[in-house]
Amino acid sequence: MEKGPKLYEGKAKILYETENPDLVIQYFKDDATAFNNQKRGTIINKGIVNNKVSTALFRKVEEAGVKTHLVERLNDREMLVKRLEILPLEVIVRNLVAGTMARRYGLEEGILLKQPVIEFSYKNDALGDPLITIAHVLALGWATKEEIDLLIDATEKVNATLTKFFDEKGFILVDFKLEFGRHKGEILLGDEICQDTMRLWEKETLKKMDKDRFRRDLGGVEDAYNEMCAIVCGTE
Amino acid sequence: MEKGPKLYEGKAKILYETENPDLVIQYFKDDATAFNNQKRGTIINKGIVNNKVSTALFRKVEEAGVKTHLVERLNDREMLVKRLEILPLEVIVRNLVAGTMARRYGLEEGILLKQPVIEFSYKNDALGDPLITIAHVLALGWATKEEIDLLIDATEKVNATLTKFFDEKGFILVDFKLEFGRHKGEILLGDEICQDTMRLWEKETLKKMDKDRFRRDLGGVEDAYNEMCAIVCGTE
């Protein structure tokens, strides 16, 4: 599949057109940003790792019945995906309190929630991706009740699948972010699922194995990305 | 009813104990604050107006089946109320987009919502009273599903009652904030319902008749408070 003109460049990925108007190439960069772009840096080979991990995790959630945009991983840094009209909502799942939720409500990180929380945020960098409730989304007409129900159902399946998978490998899936989009009338899971978009803690030690190592200058960033990649992708 | 020791002093009101441990006196001050206390001032006789307006509106919502903490208005600035253990949630109802919601999502003020939005915020000045979803509240164990359902039911009754009342008087009830608390096992509507806690726009001119005149330095603050007081309370 030949790369066509650049469609869009984001913080961690670039999208390129292909000769097929329904398909685009998602290119994974090593650029890392945090705190709504206030912190910037590079994680060596992050793009390669995230492409592999995302491919493997998309395959896993597809087995659980969640439709994704993944067609195939083309090479180290490129994934062929279905072209999506991305919904302006980020879907965040929280199993334990961490990150933004801890700061927002003045809570300690690591509190186990009585049940997983599915949180929506309005995807808008200039506004800082503010939290939005389902009631707001419906009242503004930004999605229908059916679409929200579908997002929640798919998100619950992803959480159940990945929580179990990482638990069996010795890790806690603390929280993660999903993005969905429309493709030919269907809503598909898009974007990526990797250490940039998940918090993973080692069960025994609570060691952080995700982008928090970069966000919080904890060191060993590349090692954590590589270690999780080997665990997720096996000896591929 | 004799005033006892001061129990609590807030931004706009003071609570005093009484000889009855189940009852407290709510004293209405003229102090006005906005933007989480960053702006401070005085609205002459606001306390007197808010005490009258709140008493009248509490009576109205009680007729609609909503239980409140009101016992009786004692004098110009004092209201006898049932003692509440206030829930740490502010309940905000929005019929049109304005204020925080407009800023948070980058929207124009005055957009009519497809349906009223009931929004919760975590009552915490230091954190800026952040928006919180029902999913968060339940997952943190801060309220039960039954309590949330009760708050929503009461809030919907208040909105229906007051929207109709103000509409008939020629005003749009844009949004308002409620606080609830526990009293002997029951959840009662507490605090106040007045121009400090509601946005009211004149239907024909969209003239603001509420605390936004103070927040935004629009002038005629006292006139707006007095005019609405006369409308709500009649010739009392």
Side-chain angles (χ1 to χ4, degrees):
Chain A
M1 184 68 60
E2 199 93 335
K3 240 176 15 207
K6 195 191 280 191
L7 247 179
Y8 169 79
E9 178 156 3
K11 285 174 278 190
K13 298 187 296 300
I14 308 173
L15 295 181
Y16 295 95
E17 293 189 11
T18 68
E19 62 260 35
N20 183 336
D22 293 331
L23 300 178
V24 296
I25 289 172
Q26 179 162 266
Y27 177 94
F28 288 78
K29 302 193 285 187
D30 287 349
D31 298 352
T33 63
F35 309 117
N36 198 17
N37 238 339
Q38 286 173 49
K39 177 170 184 158
R40 294 160 194 251
T42 300
I43 300 171
I44 297 163
N45 289 339
K46 173 171 81 77
I48 297 171
V49 166
N50 285 355
N51 191 16
K52 283 177 78 171
V53 169
S54 287
T55 301
L57 297 182
F58 277 141
R59 294 277 179 241
K60 271 190 211 312
V61 303
E62 279 180 349
E63 285 167 24
V66 176
K67 291 181 178 176
T68 80
H69 69 157
L70 173 66
V71 178
E72 60 173 330
R73 189 166 73 96
L74 296 173
N75 53 50
D76 265 3
R77 292 185 179 271
E78 293 179 348
M79 181 191 278
L80 185 65
V81 296
K82 292 176 182 165
R83 189 171 186 153
L84 297 182
E85 181 201 335
I86 286 284
L87 297 179
L89 296 174
E90 293 188 346
V91 184
I92 296 146
V93 182
R94 302 182 179 281
N95 295 307
L96 276 71
V97 173
T100 308
M101 182 175 174
R103 279 197 302 281
R104 190 194 294 136
Y105 304 125
L107 300 171
E108 289 288 319
E109 289 206 316
I111 296 170
L112 180 64
L113 294 164
K114 284 175 189 284
Q115 60 214 41
V117 169
I118 297 179
E119 198 181 285
F120 294 86
S121 76
Y122 172 43
K123 208 171 138 61
N124 185 312
D125 278 344
L127 297 168
D129 297 330
L131 178 66
I132 189 163
T133 76
I134 296 169
H136 290 104
V137 172
L138 298 178
L140 288 164
W142 288 356
T144 65
K145 180 73 169 63
E146 292 65 37
E147 288 172 328
I148 293 288
D149 287 346
L150 199 150
L151 294 188
I152 289 175
D153 180 63
T155 301
E156 285 175 344
K157 281 180 182 148
V158 172
N159 190 35
T161 305
L162 298 188
T163 294
K164 181 165 180 290
F165 172 74
F166 284 111
D167 180 65
E168 287 167 2
K169 303 286 186 188
F171 297 90
I172 302 166
L173 180 59
V174 175
D175 54 31
F176 58 94
K177 188 253 301 183
L178 301 178
E179 296 189 22
F180 292 86
R182 295 190 183 90
H183 176 82
K184 297 184 168 185
E186 270 196 320
I187 288 189
L188 305 180
L189 177 58
D191 198 46
E192 58 185 334
I193 313 180
C194 60
Q195 283 141 288
D196 279 11
T197 63
M198 289 187 287
R199 276 193 180 84
L200 286 165
W201 295 353
E202 213 172 57
K203 249 196 270 184
E204 300 301 319
T205 61
L206 301 183
K207 184 184 170 190
K208 297 181 200 310
M209 302 299 292
D210 52 63
K211 204 168 86 173
D212 271 347
R213 299 205 74 78
F214 165 78
R215 284 189 195 96
R216 302 176 189 191
D217 297 317
L218 300 177
V221 184
E222 282 84 0
D223 287 349
Y225 272 74
N226 290 328
E227 190 182 328
M228 286 312 305
C229 183
I231 287 165
V232 170
C233 306
T235 52
E236 189 199 4
Chain B
M1 185 68 58
E2 199 93 334
K3 242 179 5 212
K6 196 193 278 190
L7 248 178
Y8 171 80
E9 177 155 4
K11 286 175 276 191
K13 299 187 296 299
I14 308 173
L15 294 181
Y16 294 95
E17 293 189 11
T18 68
E19 62 261 36
N20 183 334
D22 293 330
L23 300 178
V24 296
I25 288 171
Q26 179 162 268
Y27 177 95
F28 289 78
K29 302 193 285 187
D30 287 349
D31 298 352
T33 63
F35 309 116
N36 198 18
N37 238 340
Q38 286 173 48
K39 177 170 182 159
R40 295 160 194 251
T42 300
I43 300 171
I44 297 163
N45 289 338
K46 174 171 81 75
I48 298 172
V49 166
N50 284 357
N51 191 16
K52 284 176 78 171
V53 168
S54 287
T55 301
L57 296 182
F58 277 140
R59 294 276 179 242
K60 270 189 213 311
V61 301
E62 280 181 348
E63 285 166 24
V66 177
K67 291 182 178 174
T68 80
H69 69 157
L70 173 66
V71 178
E72 60 173 329
R73 188 166 73 96
L74 296 173
N75 54 50
D76 265 3
R77 291 184 179 270
E78 292 178 348
M79 182 191 277
L80 185 66
V81 296
K82 291 175 183 165
R83 189 170 185 155
L84 296 182
E85 181 201 336
I86 286 284
L87 299 178
L89 297 173
E90 293 188 347
V91 184
I92 296 146
V93 182
R94 303 184 178 280
N95 296 306
L96 276 73
V97 173
T100 309
M101 180 174 174
R103 278 196 302 281
R104 190 193 296 137
Y105 304 125
L107 301 170
E108 290 287 318
E109 289 206 316
I111 296 170
L112 180 65
L113 294 164
K114 283 175 188 284
Q115 59 213 43
V117 169
I118 297 179
E119 197 181 285
F120 293 86
S121 75
Y122 172 42
K123 206 171 140 62
N124 184 312
D125 277 344
L127 297 168
D129 297 330
L131 179 65
I132 189 164
T133 75
I134 295 169
H136 289 103
V137 171
L138 298 178
L140 289 164
W142 288 357
T144 65
K145 180 75 170 61
E146 292 65 37
E147 288 173 327
I148 294 289
D149 287 347
L150 199 150
L151 294 188
I152 290 175
D153 180 65
T155 300
E156 284 175 346
K157 282 180 181 148
V158 172
N159 190 35
T161 305
L162 298 188
T163 295
K164 181 165 181 290
F165 173 74
F166 284 112
D167 180 66
E168 286 168 3
K169 303 287 186 186
F171 296 89
I172 302 167
L173 180 59
V174 174
D175 55 30
F176 58 94
K177 188 251 305 182
L178 301 178
E179 296 189 23
F180 292 86
R182 294 190 183 91
H183 176 82
K184 297 184 169 184
E186 269 196 320
I187 288 189
L188 306 180
L189 177 58
D191 198 48
E192 59 185 333
I193 313 179
C194 60
Q195 284 141 286
D196 279 11
T197 63
M198 290 186 286
R199 277 192 178 85
L200 286 165
W201 294 352
E202 212 171 60
K203 250 196 271 186
E204 300 301 319
T205 61
L206 301 183
K207 183 184 170 190
K208 298 179 200 309
M209 302 300 290
D210 53 63
K211 205 168 87 173
D212 271 347
R213 300 206 74 78
F214 164 77
R215 284 190 196 93
R216 303 176 188 192
D217 297 316
L218 300 176
V221 184
E222 282 84 359
D223 286 350
Y225 272 74
N226 290 327
E227 190 184 326
M228 286 311 307
C229 184
I231 288 164
V232 170
C233 306
T235 53
E236 188 200 5

